Amino acid sequence: MLEVRNLNVNYGYLRVLSDINLKVNEGEIVCVLGPNGSGKTTLIASIAGLISPKQRSGTIIFQNTRIDRLPPYDIARLGISCITDKTGIFPEMTVLENLLVGGLTLKKNERNEALKQVFALFPVLRERCKQLAGTLSGGERKMLLIGRALMSKAKLLLLDEVSAGLAPIVLGEILRRISEIARTGKSILLVEQNVFAALSVSNRGYVIENGRIIIEDTCERMLKNDIIKSAYLGIQNCQAIFGDWKR
Amino acid sequence: METTTFMQAIISGIVTGSIYLLVALGINIIFGAMRILNFAHCTYMMLAMYGGYYIYVFGGIDPYISLLILTPLFFLGGFATQKYFIEKVLATNILNQIILTVGLFITIKSLASLFFSETFRMIPVFYKTISYSLRGVYIGLPQLVAVIVSISLVLFLHLFLTRTDFGRMIRAASQDMYGASVCAINVYRVFCMAFGIGTALASVAGVLIATYYPIYPHVGDPFLLSGFIVVVLGGLGSFKGCVVSSYIIALTESLIAYAYIPAFQQVGSLVIFMIILLFKPKGIFGGYESK
Amino acid sequence: MKKNLLVNVITNNKGILCTLVIGIVMPLVIHEPYVISILILYLLYAYLGQCWDLLGGYTGQISLGNAAFFGLGAYSSAILFNFYGISPWVGMWLGVLLAVGASIIIGYPCFRFGMRGIFFAFFTLAFNEALRTVISAGANAPALAFMGGPEGITIKLIPSGDWLTQIYNLQFFGRGRSIPYYYIFFGLLIMGLLILRLTEGSRFGYCLKAIKADESVAESVGINILKYKLYALALSSALTALAGTFYAFYIGHIEPGSFMGLNTTLHIILVPLIGGSGYIYGSLVGALVVIGISYLIKFCINPQYGPALTSFAFGLIMIVIVLCLREGIALKIIKLRHKFMRKRSLTKP
């Protein structure tokens, strides 16, 4: 469904992403892992069209249409929804209005349908629907962002660091919802720092380091992968640290 | 001050306040969307006044009717200004933006001087001299119409911004440009529309006062000054703040003019402005985090 | 040792020394009084442009009200001279004091609350207009009538053949009366150049440039933004007020409309913008263009259209500069030279 080929992104003289090749198929949840500064957010931004074409090269194809030269609003119209902190909520509009803006491309009755679905998925949004979005807590904002993205009947969701700043319980809630969303047939590309969280919901995963993909595999195999275990899950290190403490 | 003079000052303040409101809302909408304060805003107002004048003189069409022609025209003018001028400097630093809008301000005003000369003109509509009075306090018919039209337009604008899809698009693009982009909103076109609406508001204000105010190339300047004061005082980007502060400023100016010297009214409002700013630096309803 | 020092000073300050030499020699070569008067105008605007640039090009704060400080300098020394016989050399310091005071009044609210640049621009404009209105009140406010109202003040002429009195009163007579004024304004210009030069090399200038580049970063490095902006504003306004005094006595008559009007401010701003802001010699180039254009229009066009056409030309130039020629002519030339020289060194075998 989504295919990224030979993506290279530069910020000035700094090469941020080199030769990225990535695929997301229908109904899949794909996660992208990696340390800070590895270029994960840039990847999402490139797909969503938020990075100027002058700074990147390579092809991005979504359902047989080339989207790498399109402006972000056209990409959104094709069915890709981007959920990042940069493309945030509209703080001075109510929760309801935020969702309505998300559903601008739909007709009136379709919009009400979508609204019902979003409220079913995130009941807390229905409670707060008349509140100004700027007054919501961090977790509620993330839910609002996801809800807004769902309003447009997007087929592909790009999620950037959904776990950032969330309490573990809230994160668990959101992850559950993400799985439910995927079950309805949407595809999800998930960029994450929290490796456990990501691997627990995804089907496949990529690991990016210094702008290059170093690992590409299904999540089950990745969980057993030694490199991932030591570098990202820190299992061996954890034991060493706890060992010292206990003494 | 006697009661009748006081009441007259209040009436005059309400009339001017309604005009300031239109001008300031225009500035506010543009600022809310693009964080640009358009120095040339009131030159469009001045051009609209000349438009109303010439349409009346050559076509015999009443200014209130020519509003219907002029408003869309100025909307397009604003749209084009944003598209071909302002957009180019949006990404650069604020110095360039200031210089561009000041440049436009000077160019348009001097063109008006060249084509229309500095002579004062007035539109000789028959109803200019009709006025109503209540216990010695007068209000002219054109002024009354100005207040009514202005307030209705403001209500309509508020409904437009809060209840319609277009309005929500504009507000969304103003609050988070990237967030709006990923909601399939063409933010560049929205900005052009916002600029167009702002300019159209200024043009309506212009035509409304053209029925009773002298028309000359520099007529917009005091409105620009007061308009900026109103916008900052009310809090940048705040609709409510605009409404409240335009009347505060207009009433202050009016009272100073009636009680003291007309020439000092702007000095007075500037002083009041600075005082209020010391206590509430973000304006009365200051919402926006000015960068 | 001393010889090396001298050589060093000369090579490092080539530009200023050149300007010094040319400027000193000029009136000895040119005797036509009309040309001298044009030169004086050029010197004035180049100097005023430098004063503006100190705040605008170096610190990044655009002031649209420099004419107000110019007028303050002019009016204060003229009033002190007319009513109390105080020499303008003393009176000009009142102008400086008032200018600094005014700049603190405007600057403090603007800079303290971290308002955006456009507010400062707007504030200075509003202040300028307010001051001008108050000063031209004249007939409406008898208390302020001593300021001469809209027609302004004429400086009392005290004709005298005695050199010392002439210098004391800043009023020169006889053939070649403009030449002392020329040297005064030339002195101002050189002083301006030196001040800009000193600023560029000093910590003060470094802080200003940091503020222009990125305020929040500057603050995080420990630069007290409020303090430095106020310093720059105060310096800029004080220097402008000085010029106001000298120009008032040169012309002999002060009018609020021409001294403190938007037109004057426009001329002042255009000088560094066209020539290159943030660059010492930028104003020198810019003033050439500004004066050149105004005189060109004056000579070629029907005088009735003159002022409006000049404004139009300037407005158009501002727009064109912003859209095409961001850095100004002088800097653009330097950039092109660098590019050319780099190309040459690349093609060298």
Side-chain angles (χ1 to χ4, degrees):
Chain A
M1 185 190 229
L2 174 78
E3 203 181 321
V4 176
R5 286 191 211 148
N6 302 323
L7 180 66
N8 292 295
V9 179
N10 303 315
Y11 285 148
Y13 291 118
L14 189 67
R15 171 61 65 92
V16 181
L17 288 177
S18 316
D19 212 27
I20 303 284
N21 285 285
L22 196 134
K23 263 208 182 91
V24 179
N25 301 316
E26 292 222 19
E28 265 197 318
I29 305 185
V30 174
C31 66
V32 175
L33 307 172
N36 264 335
S38 51
K40 309 194 298 290
T41 305
T42 315
L43 176 61
I44 294 273
S46 311
I47 301 176
L50 295 171
I51 297 197
S52 142
K54 280 188 264 193
Q55 294 174 302
R56 53 187 165 95
S57 69
T59 349
I60 307 180
I61 303 182
F62 177 67
Q63 293 193 319
N64 297 320
T65 328
R66 263 193 77 161
I67 62 171
D68 46 272
R69 296 268 167 253
L70 293 180
Y73 35 88
D74 282 341
I75 294 182
R77 205 160 298 203
L78 285 173
I80 299 185
S81 261
C82 179
I83 299 159
T84 69
D85 277 326
K86 190 173 179 204
T87 62
I89 54 168
F90 306 119
E92 312 249 328
M93 295 169 79
T94 64
V95 166
L96 182 61
E97 285 178 321
N98 268 269
L99 293 173
L100 288 176
V101 170
L104 273 175
T105 44
L106 304 175
K107 297 209 238 308
K108 230 3 179 337
N109 45 359
E110 282 182 341
R111 211 184 292 177
N112 288 331
E113 262 300 314
L115 215 62
K116 267 192 246 171
Q117 285 175 358
V118 169
F119 283 146
L121 202 56
F122 298 112
V124 74
L125 290 182
R126 183 193 284 129
E127 283 169 36
R128 306 212 185 282
C129 79
K130 287 277 196 296
Q131 242 179 284
L132 282 186
T135 57
L136 294 178
S137 74
E140 290 164 348
R141 282 191 203 200
K142 287 273 158 62
M143 293 193 219
L144 177 57
L145 274 180
I146 301 178
R148 189 181 75 186
L150 288 173
M151 287 290 294
S152 59
K153 298 227 183 280
K155 303 175 204 109
L156 171 66
L157 297 181
L158 308 170
L159 285 127
D160 186 5
E161 309 242 359
V162 170
S163 69
L166 290 186
I169 302 181
V170 185
L171 177 58
E173 286 276 320
I174 293 191
L175 287 176
R176 223 167 307 155
R177 305 287 196 276
I178 293 180
S179 319
E180 279 180 48
I181 295 171
R183 274 197 281 270
T184 62
K186 303 210 197 275
S187 318
I188 301 184
L189 181 62
L190 189 67
V191 156
E192 259 308 326
Q193 280 262 30
N194 186 334
V195 174
F196 264 132
L199 291 179
S200 60
V201 279
S202 321
N203 306 110
R204 282 192 302 121
Y206 295 84
V207 178
I208 293 188
E209 211 169 274
N210 289 327
R212 288 179 195 278
I213 297 186
I214 57 172
I215 300 179
E216 175 187 342
D217 219 337
T218 66
C219 284
E220 292 167 349
R221 287 209 286 267
M222 279 170 86
L223 276 169
K224 304 194 191 114
N225 186 321
D226 280 332
I227 304 179
I228 295 199
K229 270 159 87 178
S230 62
Y232 297 100
L233 300 181
I235 293 189
Q236 291 162 339
N237 292 336
C238 269
Q239 282 187 337
I241 293 173
F242 278 115
D244 278 327
W245 265 94
K246 277 194 183 149
R247 224 173 286 141
Chain B
M1 206 193 327
E2 305 173 10
T3 340
T4 28
T5 329
F6 180 72
M7 291 307 296
Q8 190 70 58
I10 300 283
I11 296 288
S12 170
I14 294 182
V15 173
T16 322
S18 312
I19 300 294
Y20 283 171
L21 181 55
L22 286 179
V23 170
L25 275 179
I27 299 177
N28 233 344
I29 290 186
I30 295 178
F31 182 82
M34 289 156 278
R35 303 292 182 277
I36 282 201
L37 282 176
N38 183 14
F39 250 86
H41 195 240
C42 290
T43 53
Y44 292 115
M45 179 185 182
M46 177 263 297
L47 287 178
M49 291 171 82
Y50 274 105
Y53 174 80
Y54 280 111
I55 293 184
Y56 182 81
V57 162
F58 289 134
I61 304 181
D62 188 79
Y64 294 123
I65 306 206
S66 60
L67 253 184
L68 298 170
I69 313 171
L70 287 171
T71 312
L73 202 67
F74 276 87
F75 173 81
L76 289 173
F79 196 98
T81 311
Q82 165 71 13
K83 186 150 187 219
Y84 298 114
F85 291 98
I86 313 278
E87 210 170 77
K88 305 261 159 54
V89 294
L90 269 185
T92 64
N93 59 37
I94 186 137
L95 269 59
N96 286 332
Q97 295 166 10
I98 298 177
I99 296 169
L100 179 65
T101 50
V102 172
L104 278 171
F105 169 68
I106 295 167
T107 313
I108 297 180
K109 259 213 310 183
S110 47
L111 276 178
S113 277
L114 285 173
F115 283 118
F116 305 132
S117 89
E118 302 272 343
T119 46
F120 280 36
R121 288 165 220 263
M122 306 236 16
I123 305 186
V125 276
F126 68 93
Y127 47 78
K128 207 165 51 172
T129 45
I130 302 181
S131 63
Y132 305 109
S133 70
L134 183 68
R135 295 210 214 160
V137 181
Y138 289 86
I139 183 168
L141 178 60
Q143 282 92 327
L144 190 60
V145 174
V147 174
I148 297 178
V149 172
S150 161
I151 295 188
S152 333
L153 194 56
V154 168
L155 283 171
F156 173 70
L157 190 69
H158 185 249
L159 287 175
F160 172 74
L161 284 177
T162 47
R163 300 288 169 90
T164 64
D165 276 347
F166 258 146
R168 282 190 213 111
M169 279 202 324
I170 296 181
R171 285 161 64 214
S174 311
Q175 291 172 30
D176 192 320
M177 197 175 110
Y178 295 110
S181 296
V182 296
C183 289
I185 297 179
N186 184 341
V187 284
Y188 298 112
R189 218 177 41 196
V190 167
F191 287 166
C192 292
M193 284 207 291
F195 208 94
I197 295 179
T199 313
L201 283 171
S203 72
V204 170
V207 176
L208 283 177
I209 67 172
T211 46
Y212 60 90
Y213 211 79
I215 306 176
Y216 59 103
H218 305 286
V219 69
D221 296 358
F223 287 95
L224 181 73
L225 242 48
S226 297
F228 271 19
I229 292 181
V230 166
V231 165
V232 179
L233 186 64
L236 281 166
S238 160
F239 196 101
K240 253 189 317 198
C242 228
V243 174
V244 170
S245 61
S246 48
Y247 288 104
I248 294 182
I249 294 288
L251 285 168
T252 312
E253 290 185 358
S254 182
L255 284 169
I256 294 182
Y258 273 83
Y260 194 39
I261 303 177
F264 283 5
Q265 55 188 10
Q266 277 194 325
V267 179
S269 60
L270 193 65
V271 170
I272 301 278
F273 172 54
M274 290 183 71
I275 294 179
I276 297 193
L277 224 65
L278 280 173
F279 293 113
K280 291 214 107 212
K282 289 228 175 63
I284 304 180
F285 289 97
Y288 267 106
E289 226 0 276
S290 307
K291 192 163 75 112
Chain C
M1 204 54 187
K2 262 206 172 146
K3 188 167 163 231
N4 274 339
L5 193 64
L6 193 61
V7 170
N8 246 347
V9 168
I10 293 183
T11 38
N12 282 341
N13 298 307
K14 276 193 303 246
I16 298 187
L17 285 172
C18 272
T19 324
L20 199 63
V21 168
I22 297 179
I24 293 183
V25 166
M26 190 82 85
L28 306 175
V29 174
I30 300 179
H31 291 296
E32 181 71 49
Y34 188 58
V35 178
I36 301 271
S37 70
I38 299 183
L39 283 175
I40 292 183
L41 221 58
Y42 165 79
L43 290 171
L44 175 71
Y45 279 112
Y47 173 71
L48 289 177
Q50 287 175 332
C51 300
W52 184 91
D53 204 22
L54 188 63
L55 193 60
Y58 286 89
T59 328
Q61 309 300 308
I62 293 215
S63 157
L64 290 177
N66 266 24
F69 306 123
F70 188 66
L72 274 176
Y75 268 96
S76 43
S77 51
I79 291 178
L80 282 181
F81 184 74
N82 272 6
F83 290 105
Y84 302 106
I86 299 182
S87 159
W89 293 99
V90 175
M92 70 185 182
W93 298 109
L94 176 64
V96 167
L97 209 68
L98 287 176
V100 171
S103 53
I104 295 183
I105 294 180
I106 307 175
Y108 189 77
C110 283
F111 301 146
R112 174 77 177 82
F113 301 116
M115 295 200 245
R116 313 190 80 209
I118 187 106
F119 296 126
F120 178 67
F122 159 64
F123 248 90
T124 49
L125 183 67
F127 174 75
N128 192 350
E129 284 301 295
L131 201 61
R132 195 170 58 86
T133 315
V134 169
I135 289 184
S136 358
N140 291 327
L144 299 170
F146 71 95
M147 294 206 238
E151 298 84 35
I153 309 183
T154 312
I155 298 185
K156 266 197 219 143
L157 232 68
I158 303 188
S160 155
D162 177 21
W163 263 110
L164 236 59
T165 325
Q166 282 190 1
I167 295 182
Y168 181 79
N169 291 340
L170 254 187
Q171 290 175 346
F172 301 98
F173 304 95
R175 264 187 74 233
R177 74 173 283 268
S178 325
I179 299 202
Y181 289 115
Y182 171 90
Y183 281 114
I184 290 179
F185 283 107
F186 181 68
L188 277 180
L189 182 66
I190 295 292
M191 178 179 79
L193 276 179
L194 286 174
I195 290 183
L196 283 182
R197 190 38 162 313
L198 281 174
T199 309
E200 266 203 358
S202 73
R203 185 167 182 274
F204 179 57
Y206 175 73
C207 293
L208 293 185
K209 287 198 199 164
I211 294 178
K212 178 181 182 190
D214 193 325
E215 278 185 34
S216 32
V217 172
E219 230 174 350
S220 65
V221 179
I223 299 178
N224 185 343
I225 295 193
L226 175 63
K227 192 172 76 163
Y228 281 100
K229 281 190 189 174
L230 279 179
Y231 277 173
L233 176 56
L235 187 59
S236 164
S237 59
L239 292 173
T240 311
L242 282 179
T245 303
F246 290 123
Y247 193 67
F249 278 78
Y250 166 58
I251 299 281
H253 177 80
I254 310 176
E255 240 185 13
S258 59
F259 269 66
M260 299 174 66
L262 191 56
N263 233 341
T264 316
T265 305
L266 182 59
H267 280 66
I268 296 178
I269 296 185
L270 271 170
V271 165
L273 274 183
I274 297 181
S277 72
Y279 178 54
I280 320 181
Y281 302 110
S283 301
L284 293 180
V285 174
L288 260 177
V289 178
V290 170
I291 298 286
I293 293 187
S294 5
Y295 273 92
L296 205 70
I297 293 184
K298 210 157 111 172
F299 281 136
C300 304
I301 312 284
N302 185 342
Q304 182 194 7
Y305 297 128
L309 201 62
T310 326
S311 300
F312 172 65
F314 287 150
L316 211 60
I317 291 179
M318 282 173 95
I319 298 179
V320 166
I321 284 195
V322 165
L323 292 179
C324 311
L325 191 70
R326 303 256 167 82
E327 320 88 358
I329 297 184
L331 289 173
K332 189 88 180 196
I333 296 182
I334 293 184
K335 254 194 187 175
L336 287 173
R337 236 183 77 196
H338 277 168
K339 242 201 215 164
F340 178 62
M341 289 172 65
R342 211 161 27 141
K343 262 203 194 144
R344 265 188 32 198
S345 63
L346 283 176
T347 55
K348 269 195 182 148

